[in-house]
């Protein structure tokens, strides 16, 4: 595969001088812990196969990575932000306020969010969104009023669940996984259980307020936010036999010796069920590129092209082997990068 370096654009020159480009010759990436293992694989192979230094890839969460991305342009800012959710309008506005106006959105594929526990722990093998809502909601509607969640044991939530104390480890609010978890599990469970309708009766029909109430997570110690990456979640589960953690599929698939996974609405999370759209808790994964850094920071475009090449992100590539569900519209993404298409 061959790549053509582009001449430095006027926008890039405004962002950083040629001297600046020489002062940093490696691509810098930050963001999602879900995308981290994929980006690390790509970065290592990129460094081995191209005449560019190996990119530096850091984690920290989608929100943290996008915040760094939006700090401005130039060699003291990151070139690429990994994200397990789409960039938000407020983040685009923050970027623009700091001079980051030309952003390339790159969808690399799909991932599933799974619910896993110790292999020899309680029999957490089947879950529904309703069960997770009733276990983790800060308040529940009861007899026309909102009350503090009284459930402390999974068997109180549903008699079919194990007699085990509720102890969950979920991504912190700076992680893109948290947003997907709240919307596709907690909010969905609120709707499925009828609680959403009950809350709207209580608050006079305010749907936005009802959604916020649905997604408010209890803070009494039964749900713990994990601000680090999935290795921290795994360590918490290792120390808590009753613990259930929220992971990306790829991380679980690389830790099946110590974790067992539960179905969601009767569907097992696999690359097949995610690609078919059957597994209910899946999401696209992205990275975002500063167009102004292309041609200024060596290797930015080449790295992006390599990441979504058939050899890397295709169904038979190393990212698929690690758990990424290949994007059926990968060719469209490849063309968008070649054309430097911005949002």
């Amino acid at each position: 595969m061959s790549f053509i370096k582009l001449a430095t654009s006027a926008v890039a020159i405004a962002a950083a001088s040629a001297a600046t480009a020489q002062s940093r010759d490696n691509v810098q990436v930050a963001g999602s812990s879900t995308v981290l293992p994929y980006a690390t694989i790509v970065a290592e192979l990129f460094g081995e196969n191209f005449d560019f230094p190996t990119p530096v890839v850091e984690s920290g969460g989608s929100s943290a990575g996008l915040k760094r991305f939006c700090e401005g342009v130039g060699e003291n800012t990151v070139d690429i932000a990994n994200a397990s959710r789409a960039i938000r309008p407020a983040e685009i506005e923050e970027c623009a306020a700091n001079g980051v106006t030309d952003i390339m959105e790159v969808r690399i594929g799909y991932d599933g969010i799974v619910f896993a526990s110790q292999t020899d722990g309680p029999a957490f093998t089947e879950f529904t969104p309703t069960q997770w809502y009733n276990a983790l909601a800060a308040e529940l509607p009861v007899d026309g009023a909102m009350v503090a969640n009284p459930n402390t044991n999974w068997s109180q939530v549903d008699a079919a669940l194990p007699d085990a104390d509720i102890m969950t480890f979920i991504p912190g609010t700076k992680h893109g996984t948290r947003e997907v978890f709240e919307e596709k599990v907690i909010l969905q469970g609120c709707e499925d259980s009828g609680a959403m309708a009950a809350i709207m009766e209580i608050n006079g029909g305010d749907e936005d307020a009802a959604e916020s109430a649905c997604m408010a997570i209890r803070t009494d110690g039964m749900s713990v936010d994990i601000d680090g990456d999935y290795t921290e979640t795994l360590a918490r589960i290792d120390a808590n036999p009753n613990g259930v953690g929220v992971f990306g599929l790829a991380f679980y698939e690389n830790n099946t010796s110590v974790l067992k996974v539960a179905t969601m609405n009767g569907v097992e999370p696999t690359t097949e069920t995610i690609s078919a759209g059957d597994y209910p808790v899946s999401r696209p994964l992205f990275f975002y590129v500063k167009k102004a850094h292309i041609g200024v920071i060596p290797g930015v475009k080449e790295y992006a092209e390599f990441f979504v090449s058939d050899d890397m992100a295709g169904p038979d590539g190393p990212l698929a082997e690690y758990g990424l569900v290949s994007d059926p519209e990968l060719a469209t993404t490849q063309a968008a990068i070649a054309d430097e298409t911005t949002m």
Side-chain angles (χ1 to χ4, degrees):
M1 187 181 302
S2 63
F3 299 92
I4 300 174
K5 286 190 176 182
L6 300 183
T8 304
S9 67
V11 173
I13 291 173
S17 67
T20 297
Q22 293 173 356
S23 65
R24 175 158 73 82
D25 61 358
N26 62 332
V27 178
Q28 294 188 354
V29 186
S32 167
S33 58
T34 299
V35 180
L36 176 66
Y38 304 126
T40 300
I41 291 170
V42 174
E44 290 176 353
L45 290 173
F46 184 76
E48 292 172 4
N49 291 281
F50 290 78
D51 292 329
F52 297 104
T54 300
V56 175
V57 183
E58 299 178 84
S59 185
S62 300
S63 296
L66 285 165
K67 183 175 181 62
R68 291 180 62 187
F69 180 83
C70 290
E71 288 176 349
V73 295
E75 63 132 7
N76 293 324
T77 65
V78 298
D79 311 301
I80 294 172
N82 294 328
S84 57
R85 59 165 175 80
I87 189 171
R88 296 168 178 154
E91 290 166 331
I92 295 174
E93 291 176 4
E94 181 180 355
C95 271
N98 293 324
V100 184
T101 55
D102 291 324
I103 302 171
M104 296 164 58
E105 181 180 71
V106 180
R107 188 175 63 210
I108 67 170
Y110 293 83
D111 182 39
I113 297 174
V114 308
F115 304 83
S117 57
Q118 284 189 15
T119 52
D120 55 354
F124 296 118
T125 57
E126 299 178 0
F127 282 124
T128 66
T130 292
Q131 292 167 341
W132 273 81
Y133 166 72
N134 285 323
L136 266 61
E139 294 183 324
L140 298 172
V142 178
D143 297 329
M146 298 299 292
V147 301
N149 193 334
N151 298 318
T152 59
N153 190 294
W154 283 105
S155 63
Q156 290 176 276
V157 171
D158 190 322
L161 292 172
D163 179 11
D165 291 339
I166 297 171
M167 186 73 263
T168 64
F169 302 102
I170 66 176
T173 53
K174 68 180 181 179
H175 291 282
T177 306
R178 174 60 171 264
E179 181 175 313
V180 179
F181 169 73
E182 288 179 345
E183 292 183 356
K184 294 200 170 187
V185 180
I186 302 300
L187 180 58
Q188 188 64 54
C190 185
E191 294 173 350
D192 292 347
S193 66
M196 177 79 165
I199 294 171
M200 289 182 65
E201 287 186 11
I202 294 170
N203 71 17
D206 188 332
E207 185 173 356
D208 290 340
E211 287 188 357
S212 295
C214 282
M215 292 188 290
I217 302 296
R218 65 194 308 170
T219 57
D220 55 4
M222 295 183 191
S223 178
V224 177
D225 283 8
I226 302 298
D227 290 328
D229 60 24
Y230 293 136
T231 57
E232 182 181 345
T233 309
L234 181 61
R236 295 295 191 101
I237 289 177
D238 184 58
N240 293 270
N242 289 345
V244 184
V246 179
F247 298 94
L249 174 66
F251 187 89
Y252 159 72
E253 288 187 333
N254 284 273
N255 289 279
T256 54
S257 62
V258 293
L259 293 173
K260 65 177 181 294
V261 73
T263 61
M264 183 58 70
N265 278 347
V267 181
E268 182 181 357
T270 66
T271 54
E272 291 77 18
T273 59
I274 292 169
S275 61
D278 296 330
Y279 185 67
V281 197
S282 61
R283 56 359 190 348
L285 303 178
F286 304 90
F287 64 80
Y288 293 88
V289 182
K290 287 177 187 170
K291 184 175 179 179
H293 283 200
I294 292 176
V296 176
I297 304 299
V300 172
K301 183 174 181 178
E302 290 84 353
Y303 168 83
E305 290 181 312
F306 182 59
F307 201 129
V308 298
S309 65
D310 291 339
D311 289 341
M312 292 302 300
D316 299 317
L319 303 188
E321 292 178 5
Y322 198 86
L324 182 72
V325 177
S326 184
D327 190 342
E329 298 180 0
L330 193 60
T332 301
T333 300
Q334 293 166 349
I337 294 176
D339 294 338
E340 298 180 18
T341 303
T342 59
M343 297 177 64

